């Protein structure tokens, strides 16, 4: 029982318990709600108040404000991700906020609780977990309160981390077409803050992501392309190549050939 999630389902007024889906969005939100009282207690103990983001898509999730010095603020984003079963030692990764308007214009109030430069630091508080193998039919079953301990836990084996976001950033976008900063994926590197910019520092992290996909760099074929990697950035800026801290990436699964099937 020690390594499995104690949250097992939703309960209605008739005391029916509905199991939790393994959908990552649902799991993430419940984890946040489950831990929020701990955040409040921590903030109170260190003399801070917590302010939640006004809107769901605003950055950050939590703003820690010092009670006797309201000008001192820390941005804290809550991140959850699961271990990659096919690649031991890696997780699925997560996004670290936008590199759009409020990141570029540090006094902008667009989609951010306070202007970016109003924060003394930007942190991620995260949870890495393992997804349990559960029969999909279990998600449709309704239990009674008396049966709650027999409900299978959808996640287990938690690892918690707290780190400045620039220290766990990769040099790649985090999600599709949106302007999000991606994280590294090797768990040991996340826990030690050993990201792509670990050697370069926060200032170069800021400059790289403010210009990501904007600066045009020449290619070997005499054409131009948008800047999309930290080594390219270092070369463009005339900076030492050893400032790059290359990270291990997950191995891509090999596509099976037609004659391999069966």
């Amino acid at each position: 029982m020690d390594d499995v999630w104690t949250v097992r389902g939703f309960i209605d007024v008739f005391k029916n318990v509905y199991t939790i889906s393994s959908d990552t969005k649902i799991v993430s939100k419940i984890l946040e709600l489950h831990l929020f009282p701990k955040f409040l207690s921590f903030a109170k103990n260190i003399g801070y108040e917590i302010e939640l983001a006004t809107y769901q898509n605003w950055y950050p999730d939590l703003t820690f404000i010092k009670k006797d010095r309201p000008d001192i603020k820390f941005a804290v984003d809550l991140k959850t991700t699961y271990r990659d079963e096919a690649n031991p030692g890696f997780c699925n990764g997560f996004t670290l906020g936008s590199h759009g308007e409020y990141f570029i214009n540090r006094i902008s109030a667009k989609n951010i609780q306070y202007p970016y430069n109003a924060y003394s630091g930007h942190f991620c508080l995260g949870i890495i977990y393992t997804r349990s193998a559960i029969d999909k039919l279990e998600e449709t079953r309704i239990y009674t309160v008396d049966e709650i301990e027999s409900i299978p836990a959808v996640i287990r084996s938690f690892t918690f981390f707290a780190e400045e976001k620039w220290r766990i950033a990769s040099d790649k976008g985090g999600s599709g077409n949106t302007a999000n900063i991606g994280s590294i994926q090797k768990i040991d590197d996340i826990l030690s803050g050993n990201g792509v910019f670990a050697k370069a520092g926060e200032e170069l992290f800021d400059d790289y992501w403010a210009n990501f996909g904007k600066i045009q760099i020449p290619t070997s074929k005499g054409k131009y392309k948008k800047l999309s990697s930290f080594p390219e950035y270092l070369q463009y800026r005339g900076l030492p190549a050893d400032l790059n801290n290359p990270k291990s990436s997950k191995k891509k699964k090999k596509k099976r050939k037609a004659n391999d099937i069966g």
Side-chain angles (χ1 to χ4, degrees):
M1 291 285 289
D2 291 340
D3 70 338
V4 298
W5 200 16
T6 56
V7 177
R8 300 301 173 84
F10 305 97
I11 187 170
D12 65 19
V13 294
F14 302 108
K15 298 184 179 180
N16 295 313
V17 181
Y18 302 87
T19 58
I20 298 172
S21 166
S22 58
D23 181 278
T24 53
K25 290 183 180 179
I26 295 175
V27 168
S28 296
K29 177 50 66 176
I30 299 174
L31 279 170
E32 292 173 13
L33 294 172
H34 198 196
L35 292 172
F36 190 68
K38 301 292 185 182
F39 303 149
L40 289 175
S41 177
F42 171 73
K44 182 179 179 181
N45 289 340
I46 62 172
Y48 279 74
E49 294 179 328
I50 291 179
E51 188 173 302
L52 297 175
T54 302
Y55 299 102
Q56 184 177 353
N57 64 337
W58 277 25
Y59 174 87
D61 294 321
L62 308 174
T63 296
F64 280 69
I65 304 174
K66 192 169 177 59
K67 289 181 180 179
D68 58 356
R69 287 281 308 277
D71 58 308
I72 298 178
K73 302 178 179 69
F74 290 92
V76 178
D77 248 3
L78 307 178
K79 300 297 176 183
T80 61
T81 187
Y82 55 86
R83 293 181 178 86
D84 188 330
E85 296 176 9
N87 295 281
F90 289 82
C91 67
N92 194 50
F94 41 89
T95 60
L96 297 170
S98 171
H99 57 87
E101 169 63 21
Y102 69 70
F103 189 87
I104 297 168
N105 180 6
R106 298 296 172 95
I107 61 172
S108 172
K110 182 180 180 182
N111 296 335
I112 190 169
Q113 195 69 11
Y114 293 94
Y116 202 89
N117 66 0
Y119 291 99
S120 300
H122 299 263
F123 289 81
C124 286
L125 181 60
I127 305 170
I128 302 170
Y129 59 86
T130 298
R131 295 187 295 183
S132 301
I134 296 175
D135 190 327
K136 280 291 182 181
L137 288 176
E138 283 291 341
E139 295 182 6
T140 65
R141 182 177 170 186
I142 301 174
Y143 292 81
T144 66
V145 173
D146 292 336
E147 297 175 302
I148 195 165
E149 290 190 11
S150 66
I151 301 174
V154 295
I155 58 176
R156 56 185 171 81
S157 302
F158 301 96
T159 298
F160 296 84
F161 68 89
E163 190 56 80
E164 289 184 273
K165 75 175 188 178
W166 72 268
R167 290 187 176 275
I168 55 176
S170 75
D171 59 349
K172 304 300 179 186
S175 57
N177 296 323
T178 58
N180 279 316
I181 300 167
S183 76
I184 54 176
Q185 295 177 313
K186 191 173 183 179
I187 295 173
D188 285 347
D189 284 338
I190 292 172
L191 299 182
S192 61
N194 187 33
V196 170
F197 302 89
K199 296 178 182 178
E202 188 173 12
E203 186 176 340
L204 291 187
F205 159 80
D206 285 345
D207 190 51
Y208 171 80
W209 277 107
N211 290 288
F212 181 82
K214 298 180 178 66
I215 293 175
Q216 296 284 332
I217 58 175
T219 69
S220 59
K221 297 181 179 180
K223 296 183 179 180
Y224 284 84
K225 60 170 290 232
K226 293 180 179 179
L227 180 134
S228 61
S229 75
F230 194 45
E232 292 173 346
Y233 167 88
L234 292 172
Q235 184 177 18
Y236 176 83
R237 292 291 193 215
L239 296 170
D242 60 6
L243 288 176
N244 182 41
N245 190 29
K247 296 290 94 191
S248 301
S249 58
K250 294 190 295 184
K251 294 180 180 178
K252 294 182 179 180
K253 296 178 182 178
K254 293 182 179 179
K255 293 183 179 180
R256 297 179 67 187
K257 297 179 181 179
N259 57 6
D260 290 335
I261 300 174

